[in-house]
Amino acid sequence: MLLSLRWLSRYVDLSDLDATRIADDLTMATAEVDGLEVSGEALREIVVGHVVECGKHPDADKLSLTKIDDGSGELLQVVCGAPNVAQGQRIAFCRVGVNVPVDGKKLKKGKIRGLESLGMICSARELGLSEDHTGILVLDTEAAPGTRLTDVLPLSDTLIEIDNKSVTHRPDLWGHYGFARELAAIYERPLKDALEGLSLDVPTRGDTVPIAIDASRGACSRYCGVVIRDVVIGPSPDWMQQLLVAIGARPRNNIVDLTNWLQFDLGQPTHAFDLDRLAGPRIDVRFANEGESITTLDGQARALTTSDLLICDGNGPVALAGVMGGEGSMVEEGTTSVLLESANFDAATVRRTSMRLGLRTDSSARFEKSLDPALAELTARKFLAMLPEVAPGARVAGPIVDPASWAYEPRHVHLRLPRVSSLLGVAIDESAARGFLEPLGFTLREKGYESFDVTIPSWRATKDIAIEEDLVEEIGRCFRYDAIEPVAPRAPVDALHRDPELALDERVRTVCAYDLGLHEVYNYSFLDDALCERLGLAGFSYVQVTNAIASHLSRVRRDVLPSLLGSVTDNFRSRDDVALFEVGNGYRPESPGEARAFSSADGDAHERVLPLEVHQLAALRVVRGGEHPYRRLRGDFETLLARLGVNAADVRVPTSEEASTLPWMHPARTAVFVTKAGEVLGYVGDVHPRTVRALDLDFAVRKGPTGGAAACCLDLRACLAAPVVALRYVPVPRFPSQPVDLAFLVDDAVRAGDVGRLIEDANPKFVRRHQLFEVYRGKGLPDGKKSLNFRVELGSDKRTLNAEDEERYLDRIRNLCRERGFELRG
Amino acid sequence: MEDQLRSIVDRAHEAARTASDVAALAAVESSFLGKKGELTLLLRGLGALPKEERPAFGKLVNEAKVRLEELLADRSRDLESVALEAALGGDGFDPTEPGLEVSHGSLHPITQITRELVRVFEGLGFAAARGPEVEFEHFNFDALNIPASHPARDTQDTFWLSDGNLLRTHTSPVQVRAMERFGAPLRVIAPGRCFRNEAVDATHEHTFYQMEGLMIDRDISVANLIHVMKTCLREILGREVRIRLRPGFFPFVEPGFELDVHDPFGTGEDRWLELLPCGMVHPNVLRAGGLDPEEWTGFAFGLGLQRLVMIRYGITDIRDFTGGDLRFLEQFGRV
């Protein structure tokens, strides 16, 4: 929204103030100023010219040949096409080489119908002052030729651009008058009345149009209508056109310009109907019926729904209330009778219609803010009072019809100064409070010690000021927040602890990045349809976004790993080794998560359920060439569990049901880690060959030393629930360890974990640790067999073990092997 | 024979002194002290002397032998040391040749800034909390004084879900959740992912990261808010900063502010940058959290994390934060 400094100056004296200072003060006390713009810059090179001679162009009837004195000391020959040019006039002159204000193009020396033209006599439109292009602008001045036009006409203006978002809560700030009130308060200056200098006699009887309001849904709290006769449509006064142009509005005709001007002046939209084109004539304010439609004055036919509020005449809709007028009844050339509408429409109703139709107008933007119904009448009165100047001869034909009989019942708010001081952190006394509030229209009546009954002016009462804190804001912003000295809060009595899940999350990320050497990735929570299809995940149920950013991003992911798999492929353009992790959430719509009962505004209780939220770490290693990364990642996963102090009681392949929920994992080459209670902590394994191919990573399908793809997932909530193994000190062994290498020849189906247990069971006291260092298949071994090669450390905390101890241990191993059908090699 | 001894000793010492390396020295040792060495032979030839002269001469020879052995040992140490020094001369060692590349990981820059902020606010007595990203309409809007008809529901461009819930549009829902859970007094921060239905370009994202802050106690004031904000920004930016509060409207605070930082990049420019919205918690929000606004007051603020990271590292495209491009991620491996 643009504010004109000249416009503001109609209501408050700002003549001694620098625009930058005004902008700063508005920003600090009222609303955010986005920028300042000085208008009239384009006019700086335009000068006053004197038409010394004026005659007919010898070769063209409609052109005049003039001699212009532009103060340069030389008379310039200029060809002019305007009908109203005449000798002796003072005119606005654009010299050759100067930019024409309206389009910024440099004026060139011209030749018109064979005669040289050395400049241009400008129309108001060419100067960018109004739409008037019927003739040249004739200046009412005796200024010497060559004088700058801006010194003669009050054309220079400063425009203040207000960030609309910063005034959405202030219905009173959608016109110049509201800002003038703020500036008057800021600079402690008098504010002129909105009607000052205007006199008004509205007849008490006469021509009226009947108005009926459907009050059932409270969508129209007020509708003022008044009949105006003997209208002559023509241009509005220059000053009005100039102000409209300055703030970016296009002048049209006197009646329409006046409604527009008032919208930017007081913030109240009004609408002028051509009365002769209204059937009845009568006005009904009602909601649309099913199947109704209207053609708005932008020429668009619009289908209506029963939530759209309409202005109707005897035949049907003539305007979308508060949004846009209808095409059939607009004021234009030839209109002689006008019905002026100045009404108050419900914010939510106007907003709903304007959003639904995608039709945002200056009018709807204002009604959406909950305008003050008192403003409807004030604006109608100001319209009528300005009519004699704007549309000379027009006559107010009857009283203002205002059937809703709205009256402001003043709102009261209790204000306690100690509360103000305590909330702001500065002492505010009575005179300060009055000094800030009264200029803004509040009245204070003492009600006990340091306590006041504050009457809220109607223009702040629609939604803006309702509670004491709202008044604290008024006082605070007038005091200026930047004048409040910082004060340290009192020290806390109790320390709160970091959320345990966040704490675990932090440890997991630290281990992954700085211990395992993985790079952290952030992916969207949305699962791209293309990736979903490629990984074969379309069959699952997803939390669905109803208004997705793009149609392919409507699914909310169930798991983190598929997103992470989607981050792999592109990296192989620039490297052969990708190691990534991501920590994030997934959502499972089929499983209920948090459930809560809420009561709505009308007291109805309703139950709501969130989908189950899972909090996961996903990690992967994909390499091109060399060994398959499964064992590496398996080691990463085990390291992570060890770092967290979480122990898996069992490790197994996924059940077929589990495998079906993890279609991106190899069903037979995935290890699922399970707690004693049977909770799944996570899994690590080969990425499914189908998935690997789907991601265009064919090299990573397991077949010899071409590389591979391994992935893992850890459920953070399951980790949090799992019993943590307390870290206990174990005395450092005083007697040395004795390494023994054992090679077990076993069937392929035998699990290394079982052999490991056998190694421990053979003598739990002596086995300090053991490690599987090789799994060998192939040459030298029978088919279907493998060799599991372990290094075992034997030791005792009582003595150094001798050869006999070792021999006894090996005997026990041999016996156990015999029982299990294993063979101890070598 | 004494002359012979003297001559042998002189020559042996001369040879030992002039031996240029360990091998030469070994040759000296062998030619004088070896099995057929001159001194050995001399000792062996002792029998040719008259009996009474033998002990005295034998002693002389033995003393000469010991002296020679000591000299040889000294020389040997010297020569070895010289040889070692010589060997240290390096064989084309290039100090600029880099080491083997070690594979290392990295934390995402948003994780890093989150940690930094959490550390700063934990120092100020705030505890980190979390809330769900798929959120009830209640906590995201109603409880925050944003009723159904409120325009803020549109301007926030909410992603609505088919089950009637939504993707949270800010971290503010954690305010009321934390009040419900912990009561007052309360100092809590909540970093996390938020969503708004906004077209993506170099400076806009539909997925973004915020950190909510909330402090509730008796008599918390705007003056306290200014103090805490000044303190935390000083910690984050590592220098004293000028800040200013100006009016800003957010339904869940009253009064509400925009907080601007002066000279945000520390380059000396005279400019205010709008950094974060904040305000005094609206009484309706306190009530929604089960607290009596007459007894408790508080302030809340929201920090945009991408913004902070972009300011800090000069990142120009917000889209780089999302996805697994290692060429971006690897840049943030510093600990």
Side-chain angles (χ1 to χ4, degrees), chain A residues 351 416 423 473 487 490 498-499 506 510 519-520 522-525 544 546-547 549 571 575 596 609, chain B residues 106 108 111 115 122 128 154 158 160 162 165 180 187 193 197 205 222 224 254 294 323-324 330:
Chain A
R351 195 169 126 260
R416 298 160 296 173
L423 268 172
E473 168 159 54
V487 175
R490 294 176 309 164
R498 190 185 288 185
D499 179 272
E506 181 172 324
T510 301
H519 291 281
E520 187 181 18
Y522 278 31
N523 274 304
Y524 290 141
S525 299
Q544 289 281 348
T546 58
N547 55 334
I549 192 86
N571 278 307
R575 64 196 70 225
R596 291 282 299 251
V609 183
Chain B
S106 61
H108 195 279
T111 301
R115 288 186 176 191
E122 283 182 340
D154 297 325
T158 312
W160 292 94
S162 52
N165 296 310
E180 281 188 349
R187 295 181 182 200
R193 180 180 288 205
N197 194 338
E205 252 290 2
V222 177
N224 296 148
E254 186 66 61
E294 286 293 312
E330 280 173 343

Side-chain angles (χ1 to χ4, degrees), chain A residues 27-30 32 168-169 348 351 355 368 416 419 422-425 463 467-470 472-473 477 481-482 484-492 496-499 501-502 505-507 509-510 513-514 517-526 543-549 553 556-557 567 571 574-575 577-582 585 587 594-596 598 608-611 613 615 632 717, chain B residues 103-108 110-111 115 118 122 127-130 132-139 149-151 154 158-165 167 177 180-182 186-187 193 195 197-200 205-207 209 215 217-224 226-228 230 244-249 254-257 274 280 282-283 293-294 297 321-327 329-330 334-335:
Chain A
T27 294
M28 295 308 289
T30 304
E32 188 170 345
T168 51
H169 60 305
R351 195 169 126 260
M355 296 282 289
E368 273 180 29
R416 298 160 296 173
R419 174 83 173 169
S422 138
L423 268 172
L424 292 177
K463 72 168 184 182
I467 57 173
E468 192 176 29
E469 282 74 11
D470 295 327
V472 172
E473 168 159 54
R477 69 187 181 89
Y481 299 122
D482 57 343
I484 298 176
E485 286 298 322
V487 175
R490 294 176 309 164
L496 282 168
H497 294 288
R498 190 185 288 185
D499 179 272
E501 202 174 315
L502 278 181
D505 178 305
E506 181 172 324
R507 291 162 68 207
R509 291 188 209 220
T510 301
Y514 298 144
L518 309 170
H519 291 281
E520 187 181 18
V521 173
Y522 278 31
N523 274 304
Y524 290 141
S525 299
F526 307 110
V543 169
Q544 289 281 348
V545 179
T546 58
N547 55 334
I549 192 86
L553 292 175
V556 178
R557 64 184 177 186
S567 303
N571 278 307
S574 59
R575 64 196 70 225
D577 185 345
V578 170
L580 305 175
F581 79 98
E582 178 171 6
N585 294 335
Y587 293 88
E594 185 181 354
R596 291 282 299 251
F598 299 110
R608 287 271 186 206
V609 183
L610 293 181
E613 182 181 74
H615 188 179
R632 173 88 192 269
R717 299 248 165 96
Chain B
S103 81
H104 59 268
S106 61
L107 287 178
H108 195 279
I110 291 174
T111 301
R115 288 186 176 191
V118 167
E122 283 182 340
R130 64 187 300 279
E133 289 159 12
V134 171
E135 182 56 284
F136 295 116
E137 185 180 1
H138 173 81
F139 288 118
S149 61
H150 203 286
D154 297 325
T158 312
F159 282 118
W160 292 94
L161 305 174
S162 52
D163 60 4
N165 296 310
L167 294 177
R177 285 180 172 274
E180 281 188 349
R181 184 144 170 230
F182 303 112
L186 182 64
R187 295 181 182 200
R193 180 180 288 205
F195 309 83
N197 194 338
E198 206 170 311
V200 176
E205 252 290 2
H206 55 66
T207 297
Y209 303 85
M215 176 167 186
D217 210 324
R218 293 173 212 279
D219 301 323
I220 292 292
S221 67
V222 177
N224 296 148
I226 296 173
H227 174 87
V228 172
K230 240 180 129 63
R244 69 175 191 190
L245 292 189
R246 54 186 172 80
F249 174 69
E254 186 66 61
F257 319 110
E274 184 176 311
M280 304 302 291
H282 195 285
E294 286 293 312
T297 53
F321 287 121
T322 304
D325 194 335
L326 284 162
R327 294 167 302 174
L329 300 171
E330 280 173 343
R334 211 180 270 183
V335 179

Side-chain angles (χ1 to χ4, degrees), chain A residues 613-812:
Chain A
E613 182 181 74
V614 294
H615 188 179
Q616 298 174 329
L617 157 78
L620 51 79
R621 286 186 183 278
V622 183
V623 293
R624 177 159 52 201
E627 214 177 308
H628 194 282
Y630 166 70
R631 289 208 69 203
R632 173 88 192 269
L633 191 69
R634 168 80 183 236
D636 292 331
F637 192 75
E638 288 166 352
T639 303
L640 175 60
L641 286 178
R643 291 272 193 253
L644 301 178
V646 174
N647 252 8
D650 189 21
V651 184
R652 53 170 174 74
V653 292
T655 63
S656 59
E657 197 190 331
E658 282 165 355
S660 71
T661 65
L662 311 169
W664 52 85
M665 295 303 291
H666 193 307
R669 300 198 62 99
T670 293
V672 180
F673 286 59
V674 184
T675 65
K676 212 167 193 169
E679 289 291 320
V680 172
L681 288 168
Y683 55 86
V684 52
D686 282 17
V687 178
H688 199 295
R690 193 175 49 227
T691 304
V692 169
R693 287 203 181 89
L695 294 171
D696 298 324
L697 300 169
D698 295 49
F699 59 84
V701 175
R702 195 185 268 271
K703 54 167 189 304
T706 64
C712 68
C713 170
L714 182 71
D715 182 326
L716 267 64
R717 299 248 165 96
C719 281
L720 215 52
V724 170
V725 188
L727 184 61
R728 301 285 306 175
Y729 162 76
V730 178
V732 176
R734 287 195 290 137
F735 300 98
S737 287
Q738 194 157 325
V740 182
D741 283 358
L742 299 175
F744 297 86
L745 182 65
V746 297
D747 287 345
D748 246 344
V750 170
R751 306 190 317 167
D754 294 336
V755 177
R757 212 159 296 133
L758 177 146
I759 289 169
E760 286 167 31
D761 291 348
N763 189 341
K765 265 205 255 169
F766 282 180
V767 176
R768 282 183 172 154
R769 42 179 255 125
H770 58 84
Q771 188 203 350
L772 176 68
F773 66 90
E774 190 186 16
V775 179
Y776 179 78
R777 287 183 184 83
K779 218 175 141 187
L781 295 187
D783 273 356
K785 294 271 187 188
K786 63 183 174 186
S787 178
L788 298 174
N789 303 342
F790 284 88
R791 174 149 304 149
V792 184
E793 264 178 39
L794 298 177
S796 160
D797 49 6
K798 301 226 163 51
R799 59 191 172 79
T800 303
L801 299 185
N802 53 34
E804 281 165 45
D805 294 315
E806 187 182 327
E807 203 40 52
R808 261 200 303 278
Y809 177 74
L810 289 175
D811 276 345
R812 273 186 222 150

